[in-house]
Amino acid sequence: MLIDLNCDLGESFGAYTIGKDEEMMKYVTSVNIACGFHAGDPLVMMQTVHQAIEHNLKIGAHPGLPDLQGFGRRTINITPQEAYALVQYQVGALQAMVKAQGSKLSHVKPHGALYNMAAKDIDLSRSIAKAVYDLDESLVLFGLSGSELTRAGTEAGLTVAHEVFADRTYQADGTLTSRSLPDSVLHDADRVEEQVMRMVEHQQVYAVTGEIISIQADTICLHGDNSEGVNLAKRLKDRLR
C-alpha cells in the first residue's frame, strides 16, 4: 500500500519566515507551494520549487484567496468566474517556475478558506476544477475527502486525490473544525499518529462530537506552520513505513 504525505510550504514572504520548509521536506512525499495571494512571494516560490526538486518531491500549486493579512483563512465571497481566474493565475505562475527549473507540476490544492468553501459549494468547485483542467488535464486535484471539490474534479475529467488531515479535527458532516473553535488543530504527536493510522487502516476518523466518519485517504496533509510539524512528520513517516 502506498500513501502520499503532503505539506503546505513556501509560506514565507519578504522579511517574514513561516515554517521549517527544508526540514519538513525530509519527511514528506509531496509539497503544496503557496502562490503569492495568501502567502509566499515570487522569490520564495522559486526557492521552494528548487528545494522540492532537490528532495525529489512531487510539486503542487497551493492557490488561495487574495488575503495576505488573513493568511487566506477568512471567507471572501467570490463568484465562480473570479475563482476560475484567481486559481488559473496562481497555478500558472507556479507552473511556469517549475517548468523553468526543468520539472513538471504534479497537482493543485486550494488553500484555506477557498478549500473549505469549495468543499461545500459545487459551483465554486466546478470553476476551480475547470481552471485546473484548462491549464493541464494531467494535473491531480487535491480536495477534502468526499467533498464537492473531489466530485467536481471527477466530473471535469481530472484525477482527484481525496485528502485527509493528520493535525486537524473533524465535524460530524466530514468538514474540518473551524480554526476559530477550540481543538481545531492537533499538536499532540500520539493523538495525531492514532488519527492517521485509523484513517489509513480503517478509512475512518472520529468527529469532535464522537461520531465515526467514513473517509477515503489518498493523501495525508500536515501543516508546515504547525509548531510541532517537523516532529509529527518524522513520526508519521516512520509509522507509515
Side-chain angles (χ1 to χ4, degrees):
M1 181 179 183
L2 296 175
I3 193 158
D4 178 49
L5 186 60
N6 79 74
C7 187
D8 305 337
L9 297 178
E11 294 174 330
S12 302
F13 60 94
Y16 303 97
T17 300
I18 299 175
K20 299 177 181 178
D21 288 12
E22 284 202 87
E23 283 297 306
M24 289 294 290
M25 286 185 188
K26 296 176 183 177
Y27 306 111
V28 299
T29 49
S30 67
V31 294
N32 321 303
I33 299 177
C35 302
F37 273 36
H38 76 276
D41 62 36
L43 183 59
V44 169
M45 289 166 66
M46 186 173 67
Q47 291 171 339
T48 309
V49 167
H50 177 73
Q51 292 165 354
I53 291 171
E54 283 194 326
H55 285 83
N56 196 31
L57 302 175
K58 291 180 180 178
I59 301 171
H62 200 33
L65 293 172
D67 181 23
L68 192 63
Q69 188 171 1
F71 201 66
R73 289 175 175 162
R74 300 184 292 192
T75 299
I76 299 175
N77 292 325
I78 58 173
T79 67
Q81 291 78 16
E82 289 172 321
Y84 179 94
L86 69 85
V87 167
Q88 206 166 79
Y89 182 94
Q90 294 175 79
V91 175
L94 190 73
Q95 187 180 43
M97 287 190 171
V98 174
K99 182 179 179 182
Q101 296 193 47
S103 191
K104 190 176 188 298
L105 196 67
S106 166
H107 62 275
V108 176
K109 173 188 168 180
H111 165 81
L114 182 62
Y115 182 97
N116 292 328
M117 290 157 60
K120 298 179 180 180
D121 186 331
I122 188 60
D123 292 329
L124 183 63
S125 292
R126 284 172 175 155
S127 290
I128 293 171
K130 180 169 171 52
V132 174
Y133 185 90
D134 289 350
L135 267 179
D136 184 350
E137 62 190 62
S138 72
L139 291 169
V140 177
L141 180 62
F142 282 22
L144 184 67
S145 179
S147 67
E148 296 291 1
L149 185 56
T150 54
R151 175 185 162 193
T154 300
E155 285 180 358
L158 294 166
T159 299
V160 301
H162 289 258
E163 184 177 36
V164 296
F165 287 78
D167 54 2
R168 294 294 304 279
T169 61
Y170 283 76
Q171 294 295 298
D173 63 356
T175 59
L176 300 177
T177 303
S178 169
R179 287 178 178 268
S180 64
L181 298 174
D183 202 32
S184 62
V185 180
L186 302 178
H187 299 281
D188 179 76
D190 291 336
R191 191 174 170 192
V192 168
E193 189 173 306
E194 179 183 353
Q195 175 161 292
V196 167
M197 296 316 296
R198 175 171 288 277
M199 289 171 164
V200 173
E201 294 178 336
H202 304 289
Q203 303 290 295
Q204 294 176 340
V205 64
Y206 279 110
V208 291
T209 46
E211 292 93 342
I212 294 177
I213 304 164
S214 296
I215 49 90
Q216 180 176 332
D218 298 325
T219 181
I220 303 168
C221 176
L222 266 174
H223 286 93
D225 62 334
N226 188 320
S227 59
E228 293 297 318
V230 174
N231 178 49
L232 294 176
K234 184 178 186 302
R235 281 191 56 164
L236 284 181
K237 183 178 181 179
D238 291 342
R239 181 64 186 272
L240 289 168
R241 278 182 167 173

